[in-house]
Amino acid sequence: MSQQLERLLPVLSLIPGVNIPAGVLQGAYIAASQRKLAQLEQALHYEIGLLNQKVAAGRRSIDQEYVRSEAFTANVMQALRAAEVAETERKLRFIARALAGCTLVYPAPELDRFQTLRIIEGISDRELSVFFEYFRLLDPIDPYMDMIPVDSQVSIPGLTRQQFVAALLGLEQLGLLSKETLTDRDGEWQDTPSQRGAGFAWKLTALARQVASLSQIEAYADEQ
């Protein structure tokens, strides 16, 4: 096992119940740079610290069966592969938060942790920015029932309208957004009657809920 991977084991062992034997990762190769791995290590240390505070306060619980399983080790490797192609330190922090989030107990239906980390690997930094902004625009009480019309002029600072739309299309391709029919009733919030009517709107998917759950995206977006 490379020294790069070896350096992460003590950090991961801070999660109650985690004990990944060094031999399990023997022969594993990760092409991420030393700088990226150092940033990931630092981010994991921070996120695991937050996780342990929540556990100590009784607000969350560690999934002991999962963290002792081969599935957790596989997800650690998945997170490391995601780190290889991470474009920014922000994306590395997002990966670290999602990996830490994997260790928690969740209510039914059970999350597909490996699938979710695979999707997180594929999100570009620009798509991640738009995903954060999308959550800010939705109803905070129930964002999964809210929608934003496809023809809305919403954008975010630093991106052109075309770049924003391209990122939305990328999120759709990843399975995080879907286009739903927008009825007259759904359009009542729009500014003028002329803007109302049948059309399409972006809506979060069940997979987006998984990504948001593992990464606590509402809180994470507020930190950016």
Side-chain angles (χ1 to χ4, degrees), residues 44-56 59 97 216 223:
L44 275 172
H45 199 280
Y46 174 76
E47 296 298 340
I48 291 169
L50 291 180
L51 179 148
N52 286 335
Q53 288 176 21
K54 294 175 184 176
V55 172
R59 298 200 303 271
R97 178 164 291 195
Q216 303 169 68
E223 295 171 7

Side-chain angles (χ1 to χ4, degrees), residues 9 12-20 62 64 67-68 72 103:
L9 292 180
L12 292 169
S13 68
L14 296 174
I15 301 171
V18 170
N19 182 23
I20 301 176
I62 298 292
Q64 292 294 330
V67 298
R68 291 185 172 91
F72 176 64
T103 68

Side-chain angles (χ1 to χ4, degrees), residues 2-53:
S2 67
Q3 290 183 345
Q4 291 97 320
L5 296 180
E6 213 167 41
R7 66 187 289 175
L8 295 179
L9 292 180
V11 179
L12 292 169
S13 68
L14 296 174
I15 301 171
V18 170
N19 182 23
I20 301 176
V24 171
L25 301 179
Q26 188 68 38
Y29 176 73
I30 297 296
S33 68
Q34 290 281 358
R35 182 177 64 84
K36 277 188 179 180
L37 283 166
Q39 290 172 338
L40 180 62
E41 179 185 14
Q42 183 179 14
L44 275 172
H45 199 280
Y46 174 76
E47 296 298 340
I48 291 169
L50 291 180
L51 179 148
N52 286 335
Q53 288 176 21

